[in-house]
Amino acid sequence: MTFGGALKRDIFEEEHDAFRDAVRTFLTRSVVPRYDEFTRTGVPREVWLEAGAQGFLGPQVPQTFGGGGVDDYRFNAILTEELAAVSAALASQFQIQYDVVAPYLLELATDEQKQRWLPRFCTGELITAIAMTEPAGGSDLAALETRAERTDDGWVINGSKTFITNGSIADLVIVAARTDATKGSRGITLFAIEAGTPGFDQAHPLRKIGQHEADTSELFLTAVTVTDDAVLGQVDRGFVHLMERLAQERLGTAIASLSHARAIFAETLDHAKQRHAFGQPIGSLQHNKFQLAELQTLADVTQAFLDRCITSHTDGGLSPVDAAKAKWWAADVQGRILDVCLQLHGGYGFMWEYRAARAWVDGRVARIWAGTNEVMKEIIGRDLGL
């Protein structure tokens, strides 16, 4: 996606362009005409099933399980860009599936677990979520209070999670729980809990100020009993498993932030050319022209850094520090772009039926989720030896 003076991007090849066209066709046919409906009702299961049928839910999952079998993160990036250009909430929901949860199932699950979950994961029959955040703490993952206690037959889990994307609609949730209170961050384990498990309550969606089409819920675990085959990865190494995969999640949120902002900027640029004041297009007024020029430059420079990160991650070399830089910077840039876009729409920018208004509200959470921007700066500061 480009806007204004188009930035040439050379990180994609013909097969990627064909994939992007397929994603756009799907969105144009199945999502865009019903977007307003989704903001009231949420994204229905049928859209998930169609996305699965098109091969959009498991591009990196081996073909033996029904996935695309392509070990190339650029396909994930394209999906994220196109989804976010339509709706930030749509991107956040589907990203959880193909970009966040997929690596856990692919890299940590046993062969039996993969056979049980991945085929339905790819078709959209099995929607997933990951539950880290708790009511008493968000970005401090080492301070988890949800506990799993050993029994003769497995584990009993008690606790609660909040702000969980796909929380109430998920068929499978990866839950981080403390399994050894004496080990701090080294005493956390991941459990894959299926919907309908006794004691596992997937509450109704929370009321948010934005992203109304995205399901975001609380989860309650009351004496949830699971066997050892619910453990994902190694016991007491859950924190390490999380840290090893957060770089991809943070890069994904950065990609979504910028693509979301770029789409709204493109609409705002058209508006600025067509809307007149004082006998000329508002975009021709020097102050507005300079703002648009600044935003164009800001977006292009940010895109160049993100493209470098995408390439690094595709090659297996993205560092946690660069992922943190990408996450906080893109989220901040998104906020700056969307704020100006709303302002340039004038009173219409405060009307819900205008995308600039909804995007402004929807984009604010990007500076909070996947680790707050302040935490990202802390990671970068530590890397500087501070």
Side-chain angles (χ1 to χ4, degrees), residues 73-195:
Y73 181 77
R74 288 173 292 181
F75 288 99
N76 289 38
I78 289 167
L79 267 171
T80 299
E81 287 180 352
E82 296 303 320
L83 289 165
V86 173
S87 158
L90 188 74
S92 70
Q93 284 189 285
F94 283 87
Q95 269 186 290
I96 292 294
Q97 187 93 346
Y98 67 79
D99 209 42
V100 178
V101 171
Y104 289 87
L105 299 184
L106 289 173
E107 298 162 12
L108 300 178
T110 64
D111 290 341
E112 189 279 330
Q113 289 173 328
K114 291 177 182 178
Q115 291 286 352
R116 192 193 327 166
W117 296 322
L118 284 178
R120 291 182 295 134
F121 176 93
C122 292
T123 62
E125 297 171 274
L126 185 90
I127 297 174
T128 58
I130 186 164
M132 293 183 272
T133 304
E134 298 185 343
S139 297
D140 186 6
L141 298 179
L144 292 179
E145 295 184 358
T146 296
R147 297 184 180 275
E149 297 181 358
R150 261 291 189 190
T151 67
D152 292 337
D153 301 320
W155 303 85
V156 175
I157 307 173
N158 288 278
S160 61
K161 303 289 183 177
T162 193
F163 311 138
I164 308 305
T165 302
N166 296 342
S168 74
I169 64 172
D171 304 293
L172 182 73
V173 182
I174 298 174
V175 175
R178 184 168 300 285
T179 44
D180 191 328
T182 68
K183 293 183 178 179
S185 63
R186 298 180 181 179
I188 292 171
T189 302
L190 303 181
F191 295 87
I193 303 178
E194 297 185 7

Side-chain angles (χ1 to χ4, degrees), residues 4 39 51 64 110 122 126 135 161 188 201 205 207 209 215 254 273 277 282 298 300 317 341 345 371:
T39 63
T64 53
T110 64
C122 292
L126 185 90
K161 303 289 183 177
I188 292 171
D201 180 13
R207 293 186 64 189
I209 63 172
D215 167 76
K273 292 176 180 178
I282 63 171
L298 186 61
D300 282 355
C341 287
H345 275 80

